[in-house]
Amino acid sequence: CDDHIIRFLHPTTSSALDLPRRRTRGGDRVWLAVGRTSHTGEHKLLRIVESRDYSHVSEVITTSDTKPQWRKADNPPDYLDWSFTNGVVYRGAAYFLLSYFNRVAASSLIRTGCMPSFDLETEQWSMTLQGPTKTILHDANGTVNYTGLAGHLMLAQLKGTLSAAHWKDHVSIVDLWFLTDFDKRTWSKEYRINVDFVFFGTGVDVKVHPLVVTDEGEVVFWLQAGTKAIVQIYNPVTKISLDITETSIYAGVGVYTGSPLCLEGV
């Protein structure tokens, strides 16, 4: 057994907060999501551990408490995607993707096209937001099915809204979808990016993680392929992607959107 250690680093003071440890076993899968509640503004973190026998342990912790302690939470409504393990927090809820692998492809929840979300304030799961998967499958005209989406979808928060990246490996293209109307569950495909394989070579499994859209409309994304990873920036005018930096596939890349000078934003 190993200790699963989570540490929060304050970007202004550089002080670190070590959360209570949890014993895990080799082969356990872990999903995490951290964010603020909608009304109280409390910082909370959700952790879901799936053991090798597919049993789950879900916990939540309020990191802004004087002495943070893990509390048991309800488990997700279905199996979560193994390749997307960091939930995206939007409007006070952490959104995840369901697993599209064969063993759960017949799930009625998957066929609704809905995404599981965990409300950080009520600490309850919901399946009310429909993602773009039905539109993706409709546009594919039979060339892609539900299991064909396995490992090819990633969620992010871009331009102040929820977004989804769909990697189309047979044509080396990633489509970026944006949630344009939360109440109507409307999504719009706003980017189609050709991925350059000069860096990676061919015949490798690619994962595309969108990071941020700049004020000029350029898209910064992190590509993982085989044993290599790189951060690139895509210009929608020239339709060219430029390398920013090479990273390790074992590293994590994210974007801090607050001000390091504002303590309330941390």
Side-chain angles (χ1 to χ4, degrees):
C1 294
D2 300 312
D3 282 337
H4 187 250
I5 302 172
I6 300 177
R7 175 175 296 172
F8 277 88
L9 179 66
H10 196 295
T12 302
T13 65
S14 297
S15 61
L17 171 65
D18 289 330
L19 298 183
R21 300 183 179 188
R22 184 188 189 280
R23 304 291 286 178
T24 57
R25 298 178 299 175
D28 287 355
R29 298 182 178 91
V30 181
W31 289 261
L32 296 171
V34 61
R36 280 184 165 188
T37 60
S38 297
H39 296 96
T40 63
E42 293 177 307
H43 287 88
K44 291 187 179 182
L45 183 143
L46 170 69
R47 174 172 58 188
I48 305 161
V49 179
E50 182 183 272
S51 301
R52 287 170 291 182
D53 61 359
Y54 303 115
S55 62
H56 291 83
V57 174
S58 301
E59 300 168 304
V60 65
I61 192 169
T62 303
T63 61
S64 50
D65 284 350
T66 304
K67 294 182 178 180
Q69 295 294 327
W70 292 104
R71 304 182 301 278
K72 182 175 175 55
D74 290 337
N75 289 326
D78 209 328
Y79 292 102
L80 300 182
D81 188 348
W82 297 346
S83 61
F84 177 75
T85 55
N86 290 326
V88 175
V89 177
Y90 174 66
R91 289 192 172 189
Y95 288 86
F96 297 86
L97 292 172
L98 291 175
S99 173
Y100 288 89
F101 286 99
N102 286 326
R103 64 184 180 82
V104 293
S107 167
S108 59
L109 289 180
I110 284 181
R111 297 188 180 277
T112 66
C114 293
M115 299 184 299
S117 63
F118 183 85
D119 189 296
L120 293 174
E121 187 151 352
T122 65
E123 300 183 5
Q124 298 294 319
W125 287 93
S126 173
M127 289 286 292
T128 57
L129 180 62
Q130 190 175 75
T133 53
K134 281 192 171 183
T135 305
I136 290 173
L137 295 177
H138 178 270
D139 292 348
N141 196 26
T143 60
V144 177
N145 56 22
Y146 285 97
T147 56
L149 295 176
H152 289 180
L153 293 175
M154 289 287 170
L155 293 180
Q157 186 177 162
L158 303 175
K159 299 199 300 184
T161 189
L162 202 61
S163 65
H166 175 217
W167 165 243
K168 307 168 77 170
D169 58 350
H170 59 291
V171 288
S172 301
I173 284 175
V174 58
D175 289 335
L176 287 186
W177 294 79
F178 292 80
L179 180 63
T180 54
D181 191 313
F182 182 85
D183 296 325
K184 296 181 179 179
R185 283 56 170 149
T186 304
W187 294 74
S188 174
K189 183 171 64 178
E190 299 185 13
Y191 287 88
R192 168 160 286 188
I193 301 172
N194 288 294
V195 176
D196 186 359
F197 272 93
V198 173
F199 176 80
F200 297 107
T202 58
V204 292
D205 183 28
V206 176
K207 289 182 172 51
V208 182
H209 304 257
L211 299 175
V212 67
V213 177
T214 69
D215 293 339
E216 293 76 23
E218 295 178 318
V219 182
V220 181
F221 53 95
W222 182 35
L223 291 173
Q224 293 177 277
T227 59
K228 299 179 180 179
I230 194 169
V231 178
Q232 292 187 340
I233 184 168
Y234 171 77
N235 187 312
V237 177
T238 62
K239 300 187 183 303
I240 294 176
S241 297
L242 299 177
D243 298 347
I244 298 178
T245 183
E246 185 175 344
T247 73
S248 165
I249 60 171
Y250 303 107
V253 177
V255 177
Y256 174 64
T257 58
S259 170
L261 301 178
C262 179
L263 294 181
E264 286 76 14
V266 177

